[in-house]
Amino acid sequence: MALEWVVLGYAAGAEAIMLLLLTIPGLDPLRKGLLTVTRSLLRPFLSIVPFCLFLLMDIYWKYETRPSCESAESCTPSEHLRHQKSIMKSQRNALLIASALIFYWLLYSVTSLVVRMEQLNKRVEKLKDLD
């Protein structure tokens, strides 16, 4: 299952980089091309949502079927350490899922705002030309 987490990490990283480049001021010449690329990638990045839900179900299933090590007598120290590592990995993976979903939502929102801003700027320029 490590490949799924790597793919999700790369997707979240790509979303974060695109979001950063869209929001940095002073990159107006680059923004038009980046906006085209981002708009074309929003639909394929939408597949992250069901993928994240699948991975959340996987975390939940692992949580429900894990061996219980509540008392010190029921587990050996190595089993207890493995249990603690499993909990840490699950928390890290849940954080990765949350960040990927939040970055997608932010990228979608910022892209639609930038598109709307460009449309309004074109309208303003047309009205200035008419005057």
Side-chain angles (χ1 to χ4, degrees):
M1 289 285 290
L3 184 62
E4 287 91 354
W5 299 110
V6 170
V7 168
L8 187 62
Y10 282 144
E15 289 171 348
I17 289 170
M18 286 189 289
L19 185 64
L20 185 68
L21 289 174
L22 277 175
T23 56
I24 289 178
L27 294 179
D28 292 331
L30 180 66
R31 187 169 288 128
K32 191 169 189 171
L34 185 65
L35 187 62
T36 305
V37 169
T38 304
R39 287 182 74 190
S40 65
L41 286 177
L42 278 175
R43 189 162 301 219
F45 274 159
L46 185 61
S47 64
I48 287 176
V49 175
F51 189 60
C52 286
L53 292 175
F54 166 74
L55 292 174
L56 271 175
M57 288 189 303
D58 181 55
I59 289 173
Y60 178 74
W61 178 77
K62 285 180 182 176
Y63 177 77
E64 287 295 319
T65 60
R66 77 186 192 299
S68 61
C69 287
E70 278 106 28
S71 65
E73 298 84 29
S74 65
C75 294
T76 65
S78 64
E79 289 174 338
H80 187 68
L81 183 62
R82 187 166 27 116
H83 173 68
Q84 292 298 323
K85 283 183 182 180
S86 173
I87 289 174
M88 291 296 286
K89 283 182 183 179
S90 295
Q91 291 171 348
R92 179 201 60 203
N93 292 341
L95 187 62
L96 181 62
I97 289 170
S99 66
L101 291 174
I102 289 171
F103 278 138
Y104 179 79
W105 176 72
L106 285 172
L107 186 63
Y108 178 80
S109 300
V110 167
T111 303
S112 64
L113 286 174
V114 170
V115 166
R116 181 75 175 144
M117 225 170 54
E118 281 190 1
Q119 290 172 347
L120 290 174
N121 284 338
K122 285 180 183 177
R123 277 188 181 172
V124 167
E125 287 179 14
K126 281 184 182 178
L127 289 175
K128 283 183 181 178
D129 290 340
L130 291 176
D131 291 341

